[in-house]
Amino acid sequence: MLGEKAQTSAYKELVYMIAKQMNSIDFNPENAKDSNQETLFSQHFLVCALQKLGSLVLGLGTTAQNLLADQTLNTIDTTCAVLVHPSAAARLASAWCCFCVAVPSMITPLIDRFVDALEQMRSSPETIAGYSSALAAILGSVRYSPLGIPHTKGKVVFNAAEELLRSASQNSRMSLNRTQAGWLLIGAIMTLGTPVVKGLLPRLLLLWRHSFPRSNKELESEKARGDSFTWQITLEGRAGALSVMHSFLVNCPELITEDITKRLMTPIESALAMLVNLSSVLKSYGTQLKAPAAMVRLRLYETLSQLYTHLLRMLISEFTLAENPANTTNSQLRNLCHADDSVILGTWLKETDHRIIEDQWVLYGAGGDGFVRR
């Protein structure tokens, strides 16, 4: 509803409000209770302000370039300051508000800036989480840029992500953040498409291979050691690896050859074996691991849905008798179900004299005798 001049004024006001709010936060307070209340308030405030700021920038389009270049506003530094906020919601709102869709010329400079920040401030969990989210958002915005980015930028980000994964075990306090950030960045690189990912594929396959146990013996050995924290890191890492696999299948279909599919099946089978045998681990460590385990299952199902799309369609067709002019069935569903599960499956006939006749109609009649069960 606002004109361009009013949008510009609203943009400036929002930037000033975000800067003022960030300056008022004490990141090392003496009173923890007051700190929690202050952080909670600033979290909601910043999320709303950053969402509106991002929407304004999208509406202004390339007109926003002059505002972003205004040194008195200092928009980029102001929004980047929120990337180290204690609240994850505020950090993600700042990452989403990276302006690269409206002004594509900012993509490459911001990639360089955020990669440097990850290398220089990797001792801070908030910094790693915030800057990796922002970098992933920027990579995701490249598809909206008509010119894209140099392919070498994808390799630079991949190197940074690989280093985060490699160094995750060196500092227990940083393990979770580095693991999540590393896989998040690699998943974002997949959105750059085949030209970028093709040269990185051998390294990517190696990362997938080492992310899962390679034999049942290794899986049993893994279950016998570790604690709740190490299992959380393990599950987060495997969920991340499967998420990257899903992103790869969606964004790089040209690279999915028969050989690549076979190599992907090894970590997928390992993930299935791990989930089947995970019940004892969940019993040992209680509810702390339920959410990470559920995330692994979700990412696995997403990956399988891409690999077995045609198989799933065929199974659904068999269950529903869709696209079958003869209306015959090969389903074993009724034999596998409990007798009292559903009258829809014809279980009311199970112990009656009509069962033989009904079964002949379903299994044989429609195939040639002209009888169709309705």
Side-chain angles (χ1 to χ4, degrees):
M1 295 176 63
L2 299 177
E4 185 174 307
K5 186 176 180 180
Q7 288 183 44
T8 301
S9 299
Y11 173 100
K12 294 179 179 178
E13 187 64 25
L14 284 169
V15 172
Y16 290 140
M17 291 167 65
I18 293 168
K20 183 179 179 180
Q21 183 62 38
M22 288 301 297
N23 290 332
S24 68
I25 298 175
D26 186 359
F27 289 99
N28 297 295
E30 296 180 1
N31 192 324
K33 184 178 179 180
D34 292 343
S35 167
N36 291 336
Q37 292 296 326
E38 185 179 358
T39 301
L40 185 63
F41 170 76
S42 70
Q43 165 187 339
H44 298 303
F45 182 96
L46 290 168
V47 167
C48 292
L50 287 164
Q51 285 183 344
K52 297 309 173 188
L53 181 62
S55 298
L56 275 174
V57 171
L58 288 175
L60 288 168
T62 53
T63 306
Q65 187 164 5
N66 294 330
L67 294 170
L68 293 170
D70 190 340
Q71 296 297 321
T72 59
L73 283 173
N74 209 10
T75 304
I76 300 300
D77 289 342
T78 299
T79 53
C80 286
V82 188
L83 292 174
V84 296
H85 193 276
S87 165
R91 293 196 297 267
L92 290 173
S94 177
W96 176 80
C97 187
C98 64
F99 314 118
C100 292
V101 176
V103 187
S105 60
M106 296 188 62
I107 293 177
T108 299
L110 284 179
I111 287 177
D112 295 336
R113 174 173 178 163
F114 291 162
V115 168
D116 290 341
L118 282 174
E119 292 178 353
Q120 295 171 9
M121 297 184 284
R122 62 177 57 190
S123 60
S124 167
E126 291 80 12
T127 298
I128 290 177
Y131 277 90
S132 62
S133 298
L135 192 50
I138 292 172
L139 293 175
S141 72
V142 170
R143 66 177 65 194
Y144 302 108
S145 170
L147 298 179
I149 59 172
H151 292 177
T152 53
K153 294 300 177 184
K155 185 176 181 179
V156 168
V157 177
F158 192 94
N159 292 340
E162 201 173 36
E163 180 59 30
L164 285 170
L165 294 174
R166 190 181 297 113
S167 62
S169 60
Q170 298 175 3
N171 186 332
S172 59
R173 188 175 70 90
M174 305 296 299
S175 295
L176 184 61
N177 299 93
R178 290 178 179 177
T179 300
Q180 291 174 333
W183 287 117
L184 176 64
L185 291 176
I186 295 176
I189 292 170
M190 299 300 104
T191 66
L192 298 178
T194 299
V196 175
V197 176
K198 185 175 181 180
L200 302 171
L201 192 54
R203 295 164 64 184
L204 186 59
L205 290 169
L206 195 61
L207 284 175
W208 281 327
R209 179 184 173 188
H210 291 299
S211 295
F212 296 89
R214 282 165 282 183
S215 64
N216 290 331
K217 182 178 180 181
E218 189 174 330
L219 178 60
E220 291 300 322
S221 175
E222 187 179 66
K223 289 170 58 181
R225 64 178 188 272
D227 54 20
S228 176
F229 178 73
T230 57
W231 267 106
Q232 183 182 6
I233 302 300
T234 299
L235 292 174
E236 289 284 355
R238 289 172 185 174
L242 289 168
S243 179
V244 171
M245 200 177 294
H246 174 255
S247 183
F248 169 73
L249 293 169
V250 170
N251 294 290
C252 306
E254 300 89 349
L255 297 178
I256 305 172
T257 62
E258 184 176 351
D259 178 61
I260 294 298
T261 302
K262 288 180 180 179
R263 296 178 72 174
L264 290 179
M265 288 308 300
T266 300
I268 287 175
E269 289 173 359
S270 296
L272 283 169
M274 180 196 71
L275 289 172
V276 168
N277 293 278
L278 201 60
S279 57
S280 60
V281 176
L282 295 176
K283 288 179 181 178
S284 300
Y285 301 115
T287 60
Q288 295 180 347
L289 298 181
K290 284 189 176 180
M295 184 58 69
V296 175
R297 289 198 301 273
L298 173 63
R299 299 308 185 192
L300 178 62
Y301 297 154
E302 288 178 339
T303 303
L304 290 174
S305 70
Q306 293 298 319
L307 279 174
Y308 298 111
T309 301
H310 300 295
L311 175 61
L312 288 173
R313 287 175 181 169
M314 187 175 69
L315 288 173
I316 292 171
S317 176
E318 288 292 340
F319 278 126
T320 61
L321 302 179
E323 299 179 3
N324 193 341
N327 206 30
T328 58
T329 176
N330 297 314
S331 175
Q332 297 295 312
L333 181 61
R334 197 175 74 177
N335 295 329
L336 295 174
C337 285
H338 188 273
D340 300 323
D341 277 346
S342 174
V343 295
I344 297 176
L345 300 177
T347 52
W348 64 278
L349 294 166
K350 204 169 186 66
E351 304 300 332
T352 69
D353 294 336
H354 299 285
R355 178 184 175 189
I356 296 176
I357 298 174
E358 289 288 334
D359 284 346
Q360 287 177 344
W361 280 357
V362 172
L363 298 176
Y364 312 113
D369 295 338
F371 292 100
V372 178
R373 184 182 184 187
R374 298 186 184 277

